[in-house]
Amino acid sequence: MQTQEHPTSEVTETRSGSAGRRILWLLVALAAVGALAFIKIKYFPSQSAEGKGGGAKGAAGAPGKGGPGGAGGKGGSGALPVQVYVVKATSLADEVAATGSILAEESVVIKSEISGKITSLNIREGQPVSKGQLLLSINADEIQAALKKQEYNIRLYRDQEKRQRTLLDKEYISTQEYEQSNNLLLTAQADLQSLRASLAKAYVRAPFAGVLGLTTATVGTYVSPGAEITTLSKVKPVKINFTVPSRFSSLVRTGDPIIITDEASNKKYEAKVYALDPQIDPVSRTQTVRARYANTRDELRPGAFVKVNLQLSQTADALQVPTEAVIPEATGYSVYTVQKGKMVPKKVKIGVRSDRLIQITDGLAVGDSVIRTGILQVKPGDAVKVTK
């Protein structure tokens, strides 16, 4: 009998302990919920009140605050404020903006055609020279000696040719013998001409009037054929080399005026187109254009970078919008317009563009309101409010 009573007592005690722990956890949970409720009522009373009012009145469709049936739900306070640009007809100069480089009218690297030491040097760096002016001379003593020798040979061959001609006239010699003598004379004269050409190469002259560049050569410097000595550039006038997109190639004409802006001084100059490359570059799809500027005061230097504006035509009723209002897409361009208080997207086609404005050739009309701010926040059909 005693051995059966002990298990029953242990089971009862275990069940009592489990029930006590459950009650303890329940009390802790109730205390946590009460603490959260206290914090919400204490520190967020307005949200609690709005939740009650919105739930009661909004659900019934009454004009309560925040409820979907209230005034806020009609889009009055929920409309996104945006700024718009009203499209109007304006005068537009159809211009092509490009970048270009200044080129000398003529430019050449002065090189030696023969080898030898420089015996005289008349290069004044950075100074102008006239056409044909002697720049330097190279030692040509050997050429001069060979030239003198060949002159003596020609005298001898000329006398022999005269005697042979006399004998031929008297039929003392054959025609073949005379022709051999005459050939010696002609060959000697050709050799003499070649030596004179070589002697001329020893005296380097300016091929055209221009300005000399810098040099490292001095008297006594030994030069080889092809050695660069200095440069010569004609900088009055200068050329402006630039490219235009191929779609404008049919509009560019010889004689068209251009405005160039020097990047260094920010000064503007007017030049004229004088030549166009007949071919379109197959890689960049551009056409090379060249203009000429008088440059009488040496304002522009060859190699300088300039900005080019080429005016193609003038449009009196062009439609333009701010650049920030045009949205590029995979299939073209679009803008966001305001119609009856809502955002409506429109596909457009663009034309000439500048830093601030883009021409719209199709898709808009005069009087349309184009959104220019808040573009990333609005979606088609969203309510918008126009602000100034």
Side-chain angles (χ1 to χ4, degrees), residues 84-211:
V84 299
Y85 176 85
V86 180
V87 179
K88 56 185 179 181
T90 58
S91 177
L92 172 64
D94 192 359
E95 295 182 347
V96 175
T99 57
S101 300
I102 303 297
L103 305 177
E105 176 71 7
E106 294 180 281
S107 181
V108 66
V109 178
I110 303 298
K111 298 181 179 181
S112 172
E113 296 185 75
I114 62 174
S115 59
K117 290 183 179 180
I118 297 177
T119 56
S120 66
L121 191 64
N122 189 31
I123 296 178
R124 295 176 297 169
E125 297 174 311
Q127 298 299 314
V129 294
S130 57
K131 181 179 180 179
Q133 181 175 328
L134 181 64
L135 302 179
L136 65 125
S137 59
I138 299 173
N139 184 14
D141 292 343
E142 293 181 0
I143 298 176
Q144 290 177 341
L147 187 65
K148 197 70 174 177
K149 177 182 177 181
Q150 194 64 21
E151 289 176 348
Y152 292 145
N153 289 335
I154 289 177
R155 291 179 186 178
L156 176 62
Y157 295 147
R158 185 176 288 114
D159 292 340
Q160 289 179 352
E161 187 271 338
K162 288 181 180 180
R163 287 193 297 268
Q164 294 292 88
R165 181 184 294 274
T166 302
L167 294 175
L168 178 64
D169 292 340
K170 294 181 179 181
E171 298 182 353
Y172 293 156
I173 61 173
S174 65
T175 303
Q176 182 179 0
E177 292 176 321
Y178 169 75
E179 289 178 349
Q180 290 176 351
S181 176
N182 186 50
N183 184 63
L184 290 175
L185 175 61
L186 296 177
T187 303
Q189 289 175 340
D191 291 340
L192 178 63
Q193 186 177 0
S194 176
L195 289 171
R196 287 175 176 172
S198 298
L199 181 62
K201 294 177 181 178
Y203 302 94
V204 181
R205 301 180 182 274
F208 51 83
V211 180

Side-chain angles (χ1 to χ4, degrees), residues 244-267:
V244 297
S246 57
R247 66 178 182 273
F248 297 118
S249 60
S250 61
L251 303 177
V252 183
R253 296 286 185 272
T254 301
D256 287 348
I258 67 170
I259 301 297
I260 56 177
T261 304
D262 185 12
E263 186 187 40
S265 62
N266 206 32
K267 292 183 179 179

Side-chain angles (χ1 to χ4, degrees), residues 110-112 118 121 123 136 214-217 223 227-231:
I110 303 298
K111 298 181 179 181
S112 172
I118 297 177
L121 191 64
I123 296 178
L136 65 125
L214 306 181
T215 182
T216 58
V223 293
E228 298 183 5
I229 299 172
T230 187
T231 59

